[in-house]
Amino acid sequence: MDEIIIGNLVKGGKPTKEKVGINIRNLVLHGLVSGSTGTGKSKALQVMAEQLSEDGVPVLLADLKGDMSGFINPNLSPDSALRMKGMGVPYKPSSFKANFFSVGTKFVPIRMRLDQVDATLVAKILSLNQIQESNLKTAFMYAKSEGNELYDMAALRDTLVYLSKNPSAAPGFSKASADVILRQINVFLGSGLDELFGEPSIELPDLLKSGAINVVDL
Ligand SMILES: Nc1ncnc2c1ncn2[C@@H]1O[C@H](COP(=O)(O)OP(=O)(O)OP(=O)(O)O)[C@@H](O)[C@H]1O
Ligand SMILES: [Mg+2]
């Protein structure tokens, strides 16, 4: 397939038989689907995801509102069949291979080990300033040199508590800075977002299965 069809051209408020497609090569670029509410943005994205899936291309979708959930059941509604007939598009309802992921255990949990995430990103997540970030990096390096695996935020907290009590173990480590990081970690642990970090880690091949539509519940 060279292009995916996103719909029919509308002229004078009425759909024509003329198809509107996107060259599949252009889908590696950024795109923007815009329009006021109810104009069909989500449907347009669904249609794109489904055609990519049919073509064996894996898709990753971030679902903010729960409206990316209808891939598995074929749409048998008579209205849809009628509309497709009106547009002159052959209509064969089908189901798609979809995987549903979430942070936490609502669906398949998306998790990654904390030490697989760059310390700079962890500092951003914890809203740290530059000095605190450099302390965080010191703690990461200390844990690595000791062979301690930082699976999750709780493991990082334990490392910071240890270094606060034994600052000589990691030259340059500041207890004052660690106190701030620990406070931020406690806020983070209370938010439920800490479920993002831990094992088993999601691996890229999990999302690259041929034609899979991967929906992440946000
Ligand atoms: N191409 C289409 N063919 C048939 N019906 C459509 C199409 N696009 C949208 N609709 C209908 O319009 C409704 C709203 O579309 P959709 O949810 O995609 O809008 P939206 O732009 O994402 O809205 P919101 O901003 O509220 O998320 C759909 O539930 C569907 O009934
Ligand atoms: Mg929408």
Side-chain angles (χ1 to χ4, degrees), residues 26-80:
N26 290 342
L27 287 175
V28 297
L29 307 171
H30 289 106
L32 172 71
V33 180
S34 67
S36 48
T37 184
T39 48
K41 300 180 295 294
S42 299
K43 272 282 178 273
L45 290 176
Q46 274 188 23
V47 164
M48 289 166 74
E50 289 178 356
Q51 286 180 67
L52 286 169
S53 166
E54 275 178 342
D55 217 23
V57 180
V59 178
L60 180 64
L61 284 177
D63 187 7
L64 290 154
K65 296 202 298 197
D67 56 0
M68 287 293 156
S69 53
F71 295 107
I72 291 177
N73 287 330
N75 178 8
L76 300 170
S77 104
D79 285 351
S80 304

Short mmCIF file of all heavy atoms in Angstrom, two decimals, residues 26-80:
data_model
loop_
_atom_site.label_atom_id
_atom_site.label_comp_id
_atom_site.label_asym_id
_atom_site.label_seq_id
_atom_site.Cartn_x
_atom_site.Cartn_y
_atom_site.Cartn_z
N ASN A 26 5.07 9.83 3.99
CA ASN A 26 4.99 11.09 4.73
C ASN A 26 4.61 10.90 6.19
O ASN A 26 4.68 11.84 6.98
CB ASN A 26 3.95 12.01 4.08
CG ASN A 26 4.43 12.52 2.74
OD1 ASN A 26 5.62 12.46 2.45
ND2 ASN A 26 3.52 13.00 1.91
N LEU A 27 4.24 9.68 6.54
CA LEU A 27 3.81 9.45 7.92
C LEU A 27 4.98 9.37 8.90
O LEU A 27 4.78 9.27 10.10
CB LEU A 27 2.96 8.19 8.02
CG LEU A 27 1.55 8.35 7.43
CD1 LEU A 27 0.81 7.05 7.44
CD2 LEU A 27 0.76 9.41 8.18
N VAL A 28 6.21 9.43 8.37
CA VAL A 28 7.35 9.50 9.29
C VAL A 28 7.56 10.94 9.76
O VAL A 28 8.34 11.21 10.66
CB VAL A 28 8.66 8.96 8.68
CG1 VAL A 28 8.53 7.48 8.36
CG2 VAL A 28 9.04 9.74 7.43
N LEU A 29 6.86 11.87 9.13
CA LEU A 29 6.98 13.29 9.54
C LEU A 29 5.96 13.60 10.61
O LEU A 29 5.02 12.83 10.84
CB LEU A 29 6.74 14.19 8.32
CG LEU A 29 7.57 13.87 7.08
CD1 LEU A 29 7.08 14.69 5.90
CD2 LEU A 29 9.04 14.16 7.36
N HIS A 30 6.12 14.76 11.24
CA HIS A 30 5.11 15.16 12.22
C HIS A 30 3.84 15.61 11.49
O HIS A 30 3.91 16.12 10.37
CB HIS A 30 5.62 16.32 13.07
CG HIS A 30 6.68 15.91 14.02
ND1 HIS A 30 8.01 16.21 13.84
CD2 HIS A 30 6.62 15.18 15.16
CE1 HIS A 30 8.71 15.70 14.83
NE2 HIS A 30 7.90 15.06 15.64
N GLY A 31 2.72 15.41 12.14
CA GLY A 31 1.47 15.86 11.55
C GLY A 31 0.57 16.44 12.62
O GLY A 31 0.78 16.20 13.80
N LEU A 32 -0.38 17.21 12.19
CA LEU A 32 -1.33 17.80 13.14
C LEU A 32 -2.74 17.58 12.62
O LEU A 32 -3.03 17.88 11.46
CB LEU A 32 -1.04 19.29 13.28
CG LEU A 32 -2.05 20.11 14.11
CD1 LEU A 32 -1.93 19.77 15.59
CD2 LEU A 32 -1.83 21.60 13.89
N VAL A 33 -3.59 17.01 13.44
CA VAL A 33 -5.00 16.87 13.10
C VAL A 33 -5.75 17.86 13.97
O VAL A 33 -5.69 17.78 15.19
CB VAL A 33 -5.51 15.43 13.38
CG1 VAL A 33 -6.98 15.31 13.01
CG2 VAL A 33 -4.68 14.41 12.62
N SER A 34 -6.39 18.83 13.35
CA SER A 34 -7.06 19.84 14.18
C SER A 34 -8.50 20.03 13.74
O SER A 34 -8.89 19.66 12.63
CB SER A 34 -6.30 21.16 14.12
OG SER A 34 -6.39 21.71 12.83
N GLY A 35 -9.29 20.60 14.59
CA GLY A 35 -10.70 20.84 14.29
C GLY A 35 -11.45 21.02 15.59
O GLY A 35 -10.96 20.60 16.65
N SER A 36 -12.62 21.64 15.53
CA SER A 36 -13.37 21.83 16.77
C SER A 36 -13.96 20.49 17.21
O SER A 36 -13.88 19.50 16.48
CB SER A 36 -14.45 22.90 16.60
OG SER A 36 -15.17 22.66 15.43
N THR A 37 -14.54 20.49 18.38
CA THR A 37 -14.97 19.22 18.97
C THR A 37 -16.07 18.55 18.13
O THR A 37 -16.94 19.22 17.59
CB THR A 37 -15.40 19.44 20.45
OG1 THR A 37 -15.73 18.17 20.99
CG2 THR A 37 -16.60 20.35 20.57
N GLY A 38 -15.93 17.24 17.98
CA GLY A 38 -16.92 16.47 17.24
C GLY A 38 -16.75 16.49 15.73
O GLY A 38 -17.59 15.97 15.00
N THR A 39 -15.64 17.05 15.26
CA THR A 39 -15.46 17.12 13.81
C THR A 39 -14.77 15.89 13.23
O THR A 39 -14.62 15.77 12.02
CB THR A 39 -14.64 18.37 13.40
OG1 THR A 39 -13.49 18.44 14.23
CG2 THR A 39 -15.46 19.64 13.55
N GLY A 40 -14.33 14.97 14.12
CA GLY A 40 -13.80 13.70 13.61
C GLY A 40 -12.29 13.53 13.70
O GLY A 40 -11.71 12.72 12.98
N LYS A 41 -11.63 14.27 14.61
CA LYS A 41 -10.18 14.13 14.76
C LYS A 41 -9.82 12.71 15.24
O LYS A 41 -8.96 12.06 14.66
CB LYS A 41 -9.64 15.15 15.78
CG LYS A 41 -9.89 16.58 15.42
CD LYS A 41 -9.35 17.54 16.46
CE LYS A 41 -10.04 17.41 17.82
NZ LYS A 41 -11.46 17.82 17.80
N SER A 42 -10.50 12.27 16.29
CA SER A 42 -10.17 10.94 16.84
C SER A 42 -10.46 9.86 15.81
O SER A 42 -9.68 8.92 15.66
CB SER A 42 -10.98 10.68 18.11
OG SER A 42 -10.67 11.62 19.08
N LYS A 43 -11.58 10.00 15.12
CA LYS A 43 -11.93 9.00 14.08
C LYS A 43 -10.85 8.99 13.00
O LYS A 43 -10.46 7.91 12.53
CB LYS A 43 -13.26 9.34 13.44
CG LYS A 43 -14.46 8.75 14.16
CD LYS A 43 -14.62 7.27 13.81
CE LYS A 43 -15.80 6.65 14.55
NZ LYS A 43 -15.50 6.14 15.86
N ALA A 44 -10.38 10.17 12.60
CA ALA A 44 -9.34 10.23 11.56
C ALA A 44 -8.11 9.47 12.02
O ALA A 44 -7.50 8.71 11.25
CB ALA A 44 -9.00 11.68 11.24
N LEU A 45 -7.72 9.64 13.30
CA LEU A 45 -6.54 8.94 13.82
C LEU A 45 -6.79 7.43 13.88
O LEU A 45 -5.90 6.64 13.57
CB LEU A 45 -6.20 9.46 15.22
CG LEU A 45 -5.65 10.89 15.26
CD1 LEU A 45 -5.44 11.34 16.69
CD2 LEU A 45 -4.34 10.98 14.49
N GLN A 46 -8.02 7.05 14.25
CA GLN A 46 -8.36 5.62 14.29
C GLN A 46 -8.23 5.00 12.91
O GLN A 46 -7.67 3.91 12.75
CB GLN A 46 -9.80 5.44 14.76
CG GLN A 46 -9.94 5.40 16.27
CD GLN A 46 -11.36 5.04 16.69
OE1 GLN A 46 -12.10 4.43 15.93
NE2 GLN A 46 -11.72 5.42 17.89
N VAL A 47 -8.76 5.71 11.92
CA VAL A 47 -8.73 5.21 10.54
C VAL A 47 -7.28 5.05 10.07
O VAL A 47 -6.91 4.07 9.42
CB VAL A 47 -9.53 6.19 9.64
CG1 VAL A 47 -9.23 5.96 8.17
CG2 VAL A 47 -11.02 6.04 9.90
N MET A 48 -6.43 6.02 10.44
CA MET A 48 -5.02 5.93 10.06
C MET A 48 -4.37 4.73 10.75
O MET A 48 -3.63 3.95 10.12
CB MET A 48 -4.28 7.21 10.43
CG MET A 48 -4.66 8.38 9.54
SD MET A 48 -4.12 9.97 10.21
CE MET A 48 -2.38 9.87 9.90
N ALA A 49 -4.65 4.57 12.06
CA ALA A 49 -4.05 3.47 12.83
C ALA A 49 -4.47 2.13 12.23
O ALA A 49 -3.66 1.21 12.09
CB ALA A 49 -4.47 3.57 14.29
N GLU A 50 -5.75 2.01 11.86
CA GLU A 50 -6.25 0.74 11.36
C GLU A 50 -5.62 0.38 10.01
O GLU A 50 -5.25 -0.78 9.79
CB GLU A 50 -7.77 0.80 11.22
CG GLU A 50 -8.45 0.81 12.58
CD GLU A 50 -9.98 0.92 12.51
OE1 GLU A 50 -10.52 1.07 11.40
OE2 GLU A 50 -10.60 0.87 13.57
N GLN A 51 -5.45 1.38 9.15
CA GLN A 51 -4.86 1.07 7.84
C GLN A 51 -3.38 0.74 7.96
O GLN A 51 -2.87 -0.12 7.24
CB GLN A 51 -5.08 2.23 6.88
CG GLN A 51 -6.54 2.28 6.42
CD GLN A 51 -6.78 3.43 5.46
OE1 GLN A 51 -6.28 3.45 4.36
NE2 GLN A 51 -7.56 4.39 5.93
N LEU A 52 -2.70 1.41 8.89
CA LEU A 52 -1.29 1.08 9.11
C LEU A 52 -1.19 -0.35 9.63
O LEU A 52 -0.34 -1.13 9.21
CB LEU A 52 -0.65 2.06 10.10
CG LEU A 52 -0.38 3.45 9.53
CD1 LEU A 52 -0.01 4.42 10.63
CD2 LEU A 52 0.73 3.40 8.50
N SER A 53 -2.09 -0.68 10.56
CA SER A 53 -2.11 -2.03 11.13
C SER A 53 -2.33 -3.08 10.04
O SER A 53 -1.64 -4.11 10.00
CB SER A 53 -3.20 -2.11 12.20
OG SER A 53 -3.47 -3.44 12.54
N GLU A 54 -3.28 -2.79 9.14
CA GLU A 54 -3.54 -3.73 8.04
C GLU A 54 -2.30 -3.92 7.18
O GLU A 54 -2.11 -4.98 6.59
CB GLU A 54 -4.67 -3.18 7.15
CG GLU A 54 -6.05 -3.53 7.68
CD GLU A 54 -7.17 -2.94 6.83
OE1 GLU A 54 -6.90 -2.00 6.05
OE2 GLU A 54 -8.30 -3.42 6.97
N ASP A 55 -1.47 -2.88 7.14
CA ASP A 55 -0.26 -2.93 6.33
C ASP A 55 0.93 -3.50 7.10
O ASP A 55 2.06 -3.49 6.62
CB ASP A 55 0.06 -1.51 5.86
CG ASP A 55 0.61 -1.52 4.44
OD1 ASP A 55 0.33 -2.48 3.72
OD2 ASP A 55 1.32 -0.56 4.08
N GLY A 56 0.67 -3.96 8.33
CA GLY A 56 1.73 -4.57 9.13
C GLY A 56 2.59 -3.58 9.91
O GLY A 56 3.60 -3.96 10.49
N VAL A 57 2.19 -2.30 9.90
CA VAL A 57 2.98 -1.29 10.60
C VAL A 57 2.47 -1.16 12.05
O VAL A 57 1.29 -0.89 12.25
CB VAL A 57 2.88 0.09 9.91
CG1 VAL A 57 3.71 1.14 10.64
CG2 VAL A 57 3.31 -0.02 8.45
N PRO A 58 3.34 -1.37 13.04
CA PRO A 58 2.87 -1.22 14.42
C PRO A 58 2.61 0.25 14.74
O PRO A 58 3.26 1.15 14.21
CB PRO A 58 4.02 -1.76 15.27
CG PRO A 58 5.21 -1.74 14.39
CD PRO A 58 4.75 -1.77 12.96
N VAL A 59 1.63 0.48 15.60
CA VAL A 59 1.20 1.84 15.90
C VAL A 59 1.21 2.04 17.42
O VAL A 59 0.87 1.11 18.17
CB VAL A 59 -0.25 2.06 15.38
CG1 VAL A 59 -0.75 3.45 15.73
CG2 VAL A 59 -0.33 1.83 13.88
N LEU A 60 1.63 3.21 17.85
CA LEU A 60 1.56 3.55 19.27
C LEU A 60 0.62 4.74 19.43
O LEU A 60 0.83 5.79 18.81
CB LEU A 60 2.95 3.90 19.79
CG LEU A 60 3.06 4.27 21.26
CD1 LEU A 60 2.70 3.10 22.16
CD2 LEU A 60 4.47 4.75 21.59
N LEU A 61 -0.44 4.57 20.20
CA LEU A 61 -1.43 5.64 20.37
C LEU A 61 -1.52 6.03 21.83
O LEU A 61 -1.62 5.17 22.71
CB LEU A 61 -2.81 5.14 19.95
CG LEU A 61 -3.15 5.01 18.47
CD1 LEU A 61 -4.55 4.42 18.33
CD2 LEU A 61 -3.08 6.36 17.79
N ALA A 62 -1.49 7.33 22.09
CA ALA A 62 -1.71 7.82 23.45
C ALA A 62 -3.20 8.16 23.57
O ALA A 62 -3.70 8.96 22.79
CB ALA A 62 -0.86 9.05 23.71
N ASP A 63 -3.88 7.52 24.48
CA ASP A 63 -5.33 7.72 24.60
C ASP A 63 -5.63 8.57 25.84
O ASP A 63 -5.51 8.12 26.96
CB ASP A 63 -6.02 6.36 24.71
CG ASP A 63 -7.53 6.50 24.67
OD1 ASP A 63 -8.01 7.63 24.42
OD2 ASP A 63 -8.22 5.50 24.88
N LEU A 64 -6.01 9.82 25.59
CA LEU A 64 -6.26 10.73 26.70
C LEU A 64 -7.68 10.64 27.22
O LEU A 64 -7.95 10.97 28.37
CB LEU A 64 -5.98 12.17 26.25
CG LEU A 64 -4.52 12.50 26.01
CD1 LEU A 64 -4.37 13.63 25.02
CD2 LEU A 64 -3.83 12.85 27.32
N LYS A 65 -8.60 10.24 26.34
CA LYS A 65 -10.01 10.33 26.73
C LYS A 65 -10.77 9.01 26.69
O LYS A 65 -11.97 8.99 26.91
CB LYS A 65 -10.73 11.32 25.78
CG LYS A 65 -10.21 12.74 25.89
CD LYS A 65 -11.20 13.75 25.40
CE LYS A 65 -11.54 13.57 23.95
NZ LYS A 65 -12.19 14.77 23.37
N GLY A 66 -10.06 7.92 26.40
CA GLY A 66 -10.75 6.63 26.35
C GLY A 66 -11.50 6.42 25.06
O GLY A 66 -12.34 5.51 24.98
N ASP A 67 -11.24 7.24 24.04
CA ASP A 67 -11.96 7.02 22.78
C ASP A 67 -11.14 6.28 21.73
O ASP A 67 -11.51 6.23 20.57
CB ASP A 67 -12.54 8.33 22.22
CG ASP A 67 -11.49 9.41 22.03
OD1 ASP A 67 -10.31 9.15 22.32
OD2 ASP A 67 -11.85 10.52 21.60
N MET A 68 -10.04 5.67 22.17
CA MET A 68 -9.21 4.87 21.25
C MET A 68 -9.36 3.39 21.60
O MET A 68 -8.41 2.64 21.57
CB MET A 68 -7.74 5.29 21.39
CG MET A 68 -7.45 6.64 20.78
SD MET A 68 -7.64 6.57 19.00
CE MET A 68 -7.96 8.28 18.64
N SER A 69 -10.57 2.99 21.94
CA SER A 69 -10.72 1.65 22.51
C SER A 69 -11.48 0.69 21.61
O SER A 69 -11.63 -0.47 21.94
CB SER A 69 -11.43 1.76 23.86
OG SER A 69 -12.63 2.49 23.69
N GLY A 70 -11.96 1.12 20.47
CA GLY A 70 -12.88 0.27 19.70
C GLY A 70 -12.26 -0.57 18.61
O GLY A 70 -12.93 -0.90 17.64
N PHE A 71 -10.98 -0.92 18.76
CA PHE A 71 -10.32 -1.61 17.64
C PHE A 71 -10.65 -3.10 17.54
O PHE A 71 -10.62 -3.67 16.47
CB PHE A 71 -8.80 -1.44 17.73
CG PHE A 71 -8.37 -0.02 17.58
CD1 PHE A 71 -7.91 0.70 18.66
CD2 PHE A 71 -8.44 0.60 16.34
CE1 PHE A 71 -7.53 2.02 18.52
CE2 PHE A 71 -8.05 1.91 16.19
CZ PHE A 71 -7.59 2.63 17.29
N ILE A 72 -10.92 -3.69 18.68
CA ILE A 72 -11.02 -5.16 18.70
C ILE A 72 -12.35 -5.64 18.13
O ILE A 72 -12.40 -6.64 17.41
CB ILE A 72 -10.76 -5.69 20.13
CG1 ILE A 72 -9.28 -5.46 20.47
CG2 ILE A 72 -11.08 -7.17 20.23
CD1 ILE A 72 -8.88 -5.85 21.85
N ASN A 73 -13.44 -4.92 18.45
CA ASN A 73 -14.75 -5.34 17.95
C ASN A 73 -15.01 -4.79 16.56
O ASN A 73 -14.89 -3.59 16.35
CB ASN A 73 -15.86 -4.83 18.88
CG ASN A 73 -15.90 -5.60 20.18
OD1 ASN A 73 -15.55 -6.78 20.22
ND2 ASN A 73 -16.29 -4.92 21.24
N PRO A 74 -15.39 -5.66 15.62
CA PRO A 74 -15.75 -5.14 14.29
C PRO A 74 -17.01 -4.27 14.40
O PRO A 74 -17.92 -4.60 15.18
CB PRO A 74 -16.03 -6.40 13.47
CG PRO A 74 -16.16 -7.52 14.43
CD PRO A 74 -15.50 -7.12 15.71
N ASN A 75 -17.04 -3.16 13.67
CA ASN A 75 -18.19 -2.25 13.74
C ASN A 75 -19.31 -2.74 12.83
O ASN A 75 -19.25 -2.59 11.62
CB ASN A 75 -17.74 -0.84 13.35
CG ASN A 75 -18.90 0.15 13.36
OD1 ASN A 75 -20.00 -0.18 13.79
ND2 ASN A 75 -18.64 1.35 12.88
N LEU A 76 -20.34 -3.30 13.43
CA LEU A 76 -21.43 -3.90 12.63
C LEU A 76 -22.63 -2.96 12.53
O LEU A 76 -23.70 -3.36 12.09
CB LEU A 76 -21.87 -5.22 13.28
CG LEU A 76 -20.76 -6.29 13.38
CD1 LEU A 76 -21.20 -7.46 14.24
CD2 LEU A 76 -20.35 -6.78 11.99
N SER A 77 -22.44 -1.67 12.95
CA SER A 77 -23.62 -0.79 12.99
C SER A 77 -24.15 -0.53 11.57
O SER A 77 -23.37 -0.23 10.65
CB SER A 77 -23.29 0.51 13.72
OG SER A 77 -23.11 1.55 12.79
N PRO A 78 -25.49 -0.65 11.38
CA PRO A 78 -26.09 -0.45 10.05
C PRO A 78 -25.81 0.97 9.54
O PRO A 78 -25.64 1.17 8.33
CB PRO A 78 -27.59 -0.64 10.29
CG PRO A 78 -27.73 -1.27 11.63
CD PRO A 78 -26.50 -0.98 12.41
N ASP A 79 -25.75 1.96 10.45
CA ASP A 79 -25.48 3.35 10.05
C ASP A 79 -24.15 3.47 9.33
O ASP A 79 -24.03 4.17 8.32
CB ASP A 79 -25.45 4.27 11.28
CG ASP A 79 -26.85 4.51 11.81
OD1 ASP A 79 -27.82 4.12 11.12
OD2 ASP A 79 -26.97 5.09 12.91
N SER A 80 -23.14 2.78 9.86
CA SER A 80 -21.81 2.85 9.25
C SER A 80 -21.84 2.25 7.85
O SER A 80 -21.27 2.81 6.91
CB SER A 80 -20.78 2.10 10.10
OG SER A 80 -20.78 2.60 11.40
#
